[in-house]
Amino acid sequence: MIYNRVALIGLGLIASSMAHAMRRDGLAGEITGTARSAETREIARELGFCDHIFETAAETVKDADLIVLAVPVGAMEAVAKEIAPHLAPGATVTDVGSVKGAVIEAVQPQIPEGVHFVPGHPLAGTEHSGPRSGFAELFDNRWNILTPTEDTDPVAVAKLRSLWEGMGANVDEMDPDHHDLVLSVTSHCPHLIAYTMVGVADDLRRVTDSEVIKYSAAGFRDFTRIAASDPTMWRDVFLTNKDATLEILGRFTEELFALQRAIRTGDGDHLHAYFTRTRAIRRGIIEAGQDTDEPNFGRGKTR
Ligand code: NAP
């Protein structure tokens, strides 16, 4: 057991998966939880992944030695303010938000003296949300990035690291701004591009109604999966990781124009060289054990 009492604020995909994983691996003495809506609290009670579900965040964090903020990035500040007066001295507060700079700015000032704040982000998720979508294996062999500052207590960081490792994750530490730039490339901008592509298909009504769905091939289908991700979570990601997103989108647009030009001028060498380079990146991801090489991502046969 690593923590005696873990309090989960927000009971969606990430928090419920943490509860399942902590139980699987015996990492927490007791797990308490709360969510904004009575409906989510009721579902969590029914599923039973927490020992106690409370109506208020104040009751939930009482005597907890680890508090996990697992709400959308835009809600972190309000939640941190609400729990602050009820935190036990020596406790650690962490978060799982997809953006780090903005969360640190919003949460750190709320944390009372004697309580540690160790920001974090598990690089694991699905397009599903809510308490029913969690599962114990979500973090297995996935990365969790912790972004402590120079002032963060190393003992608190080490303890949180062992919790994530216990839940199956690999842990890295990173500067928050660097995290936000890296994630902008690997997650945030790809989501925006998927949203755009699905939006474009939807605009072309004459194909959408039947053909886009009926003939949905690997490329578009993968976009639709990503574009089904939670609208609140992703709205907050783009509102709070503004600078890095705009920087990467600027570069993306330049590359897109270069490809557009190569297509217009019939520059096959440019296209071939570009696609050869990107194929090597895919191989690197598979070799790093971060995806499967099975056809169609292991989802069975394509039609
Ligand atoms: P989720 O399944 O949608 O769950 C979000 C939880 O937060 C729900 O319990 C919800 O309560 C609560 N909530 C929503 N708005 C709130 C507000 N304004 N005030 C208080 N509580 C609020 O989300 P998730 O996927 O677990 O994501 C949680 C965090 O993890 C986010 O910060 C996200 O950026 C991060 N994250 C997500 C992924 C992913 O792929 N999904 C991956 C890594 C990190 P109700 O159910 O009662 O509305």
Side-chain angles (χ1 to χ4, degrees), residues 223-270:
F223 277 143
T224 59
R225 185 185 64 72
I226 298 173
S229 301
D230 187 67
T232 306
M233 167 184 160
W234 285 96
R235 176 202 61 195
D236 287 1
V237 165
F238 294 115
L239 290 178
T240 55
N241 197 17
K242 194 171 169 177
D243 293 348
T245 303
L246 293 177
E247 161 71 21
I248 300 305
L249 278 183
R251 286 168 189 244
F252 176 82
T253 316
E254 283 172 23
E255 300 265 326
L256 192 63
F257 276 138
L259 289 174
Q260 194 174 323
R261 188 184 159 78
I263 293 167
R264 191 191 314 285
T265 59
D267 187 350
D269 289 347
H270 179 91

Side-chain angles (χ1 to χ4, degrees), residues 11-14 36-37 40 70-72 75 96-98 121-122 124-125 129-130 233:
L11 294 169
L13 168 72
I14 300 294
R36 174 180 57 169
S37 69
T40 299
V71 297
V96 293
S98 305
H121 176 204
S129 42
M233 167 184 160

Side-chain angles (χ1 to χ4, degrees), residues 70-217:
V71 297
V73 168
M76 296 278 182
E77 181 171 1
V79 166
K81 271 191 183 141
E82 193 184 338
I83 62 170
H86 310 282
L87 296 170
T92 294
V93 174
T94 187
D95 77 291
V96 293
S98 305
V99 176
K100 295 278 53 88
V103 167
I104 294 172
E105 226 170 84
V107 172
Q108 185 72 67
Q110 322 305 332
I111 303 295
E113 192 76 32
V115 173
H116 311 290
F117 177 46
V118 187
H121 176 204
L123 307 192
T126 74
E127 67 277 25
H128 302 296
S129 42
R132 291 191 198 280
S133 56
F135 55 100
E137 297 76 26
L138 180 64
F139 309 112
D140 285 349
N141 199 30
R142 295 282 157 226
W143 284 98
N144 186 288
I145 301 181
L146 300 179
T147 61
T149 63
E150 279 172 19
D151 303 330
T152 318
D153 176 21
V155 178
V157 178
K159 199 167 167 181
L160 185 62
R161 174 186 272 270
S162 45
L163 177 77
W164 280 104
E165 286 171 349
M167 289 191 288
N170 307 311
V171 179
D172 245 349
E173 284 177 36
M174 218 181 254
D175 167 78
D177 288 344
H178 189 64
H179 165 279
D180 290 351
L181 185 64
V182 170
L183 265 290
S184 172
V185 177
T186 58
S187 167
H188 304 171
C189 286
H191 272 79
L192 198 70
I193 292 160
Y195 280 125
T196 314
M197 197 56 229
V198 176
V200 167
D202 191 43
D203 286 343
L204 292 171
R205 287 268 169 215
R206 77 205 138 84
V207 280
T208 326
D209 287 348
S210 53
E211 286 148 319
V212 165
I213 311 260
K214 184 170 166 192
Y215 300 121
S216 174

